[in-house]
Amino acid sequence: AEKLGLPEGIAISAGTADSYSPIMGIGIKGAGQMIMTIGTSTGIMIMSDEPKRVDGVTVSIMDVFYPGKCGYGSGQTSSGDALGWFAKNCVPARYEREAEERGISIQALLTEKAASLPIGAGGVMALDWFNGNKSCLANPNLTGLFVGLTLATRPEQMYRALIEATAFGVRAIIENYENSGVPVREIRAAGGIVGKNKLLMQIE
């Protein structure tokens, strides 16, 4: 009220972007602490004590998160969206029946089956640019892909490849920050997927 010249007692609401909202609540308060808000997409934010040039970020603004800190925003465009698309469009009927008989979602079934597989199972790899690439290429026209598919490829191998692809995307973003002089000392996670998919959290 004092700063804005308003009478005391007036309620003030501050607008904020969805992935920015958890920053204070999850305990992000200093340089080197990164937050990943993982849902349909993934928002990734971090701060530094002084401005650094970081190519491929969508936000680079002083005081955007805390006074005296330079805040950066980046992310991935199709984290949960890609998993949801796959579960809806690329799973055979027998998997649907198994999930229904067991009383679990198709996503839970795929996650369970994928968790028992080794890294890079069946030689299947994916590129998770299904909604383009936000960071670090900033190109909405890029597309995703699968490689290494054979007639023996199973849905859970493709599902795991999608999760592994998001992890490699996060790694690319982290390395981009560190190579630009913004060290990543700690990562904290929030968002809908954090409590729903333990496999994704372990891989990322």
Side-chain angles (χ1 to χ4, degrees), residues 69-161:
K69 304 289 184 184
C70 186
Y72 308 88
S74 50
Q76 297 168 284
T77 59
S78 59
S79 307
D81 271 351
L83 299 178
W85 162 81
F86 184 83
K88 182 178 180 180
N89 296 289
C90 304
V91 179
R94 68 181 185 276
Y95 280 59
E96 297 278 1
R97 288 193 297 270
E98 181 180 349
E100 185 176 355
E101 289 169 0
R102 294 178 55 190
I104 61 176
S105 70
I106 189 64
Q107 292 252 24
L109 179 68
L110 288 168
T111 300
E112 178 185 296
K113 290 179 179 292
S116 66
L117 299 174
I119 296 169
V124 180
M125 295 190 299
L127 190 60
D128 66 332
W129 298 347
F130 295 95
N131 281 334
N133 179 285
K134 184 175 183 179
S135 303
C136 306
L137 301 178
N139 188 336
N141 298 315
L142 296 175
T143 56
L145 61 83
F146 284 96
V147 295
L149 302 183
T150 72
L151 295 180
T153 299
R154 302 191 306 277
E156 55 266 35
Q157 292 172 324
M158 298 175 70
Y159 190 81
R160 184 179 177 106

Side-chain angles (χ1 to χ4, degrees), residues 22 41 53 58 62 80 107 135 202:
S41 60
R53 178 183 172 85
T58 53
M62 285 299 298
Q107 292 252 24
S135 303
Q202 288 298 313

Side-chain angles (χ1 to χ4, degrees), residues 12-31:
I12 300 173
S13 175
T16 182
D18 54 356
S19 57
Y20 292 18
S21 300
I23 287 177
M24 286 192 293
I26 205 171
I28 299 294
K29 55 187 177 182

Side-chain angles (χ1 to χ4, degrees), residues 43 50 72 75 92 105 122 132 165 173 198:
E50 57 185 34
Y72 308 88
S105 70
I173 291 169
K198 293 181 179 179

